[in-house]
């Protein structure tokens, strides 16, 4: 069974940093991509960043480019999202998701086969 568990959310002031982690189990980690998505109140879920575990290829949404960094620790089957220079508009529930298509799920969530439970990130102004 594919399982994903997020951690690392919290409350931070604007300009601060947080590091989110996604611990994966139940599948061959290097055969997947992992994506980070977020959903703010009243808004649709949107992609933040993705990483192809096998070759390290990364993708960032415009909103994350230059501020967020995605990385993987293959020995621990964990993907992290380092978020710097946080803004109030980054406030959302952040989810990680498993993508057996190795990247297409970053553009089409129908390609994803599992989601974590989410972790709340709140950025105060």
């Amino acid at each position: 069974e594919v399982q994903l568990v997020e951690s690392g959310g919290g409350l931070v002031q604007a300009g601060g940093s947080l590091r989110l982690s996604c611990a994966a189990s139940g599948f061959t980690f290097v055969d997947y991509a992992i994506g980070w998505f977020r959903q703010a109140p009243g808004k649709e879920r949107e992609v933040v960043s993705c990483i192809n575990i096998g070759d390290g290829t990364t993708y960032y949404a415009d909103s994350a480019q230059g501020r967020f960094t995605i990385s993987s620790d293959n020995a621990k089957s964990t993907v992290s999202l380092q978020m710097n220079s946080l803004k109030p508009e980054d406030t959302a529930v952040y989810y990680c998701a498993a993508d057996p298509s190795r990247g297409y799920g970053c553009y089409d969530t129908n390609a994803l086969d599992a989601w974590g439970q989410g972790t709340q990130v709140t950025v105060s102004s």
Side-chain angles (χ1 to χ4, degrees):
E1 179 186 5
V2 176
Q3 287 193 324
L4 301 168
V5 179
E6 301 98 337
S7 60
L11 173 64
V12 64
Q13 289 188 331
S17 299
L18 282 174
R19 187 177 181 87
L20 305 183
S21 292
C22 174
S25 62
F27 59 97
T28 303
F29 193 60
V30 295
D31 288 344
Y32 275 65
I34 298 292
W36 282 100
F37 299 78
R38 68 186 183 186
Q39 187 166 20
K43 295 187 177 181
E44 292 187 354
R45 189 172 299 186
E46 62 179 2
V47 64
V48 177
S49 182
C50 301
I51 184 167
N52 182 326
I53 303 301
D55 66 9
T57 303
T58 58
Y59 166 84
Y60 294 95
D62 289 345
S63 59
Q65 188 73 46
R67 299 188 298 128
F68 296 1
T69 303
I70 192 169
S71 61
S72 68
D73 183 335
N74 294 2
K76 296 182 179 179
S77 296
T78 300
V79 170
S80 296
L81 184 69
Q82 177 67 42
M83 306 188 295
N84 299 328
S85 302
L86 284 162
K87 305 174 183 179
E89 51 264 43
D90 293 318
T91 295
V93 178
Y94 284 69
Y95 302 86
C96 61
D99 175 11
S101 71
R102 303 189 187 185
Y104 188 69
C106 209
Y107 308 95
D108 181 356
T109 57
N110 290 319
L112 304 169
D113 68 1
W115 293 83
Q117 81 287 354
T119 186
Q120 176 71 46
V121 171
T122 303
V123 184
S124 64
S125 57

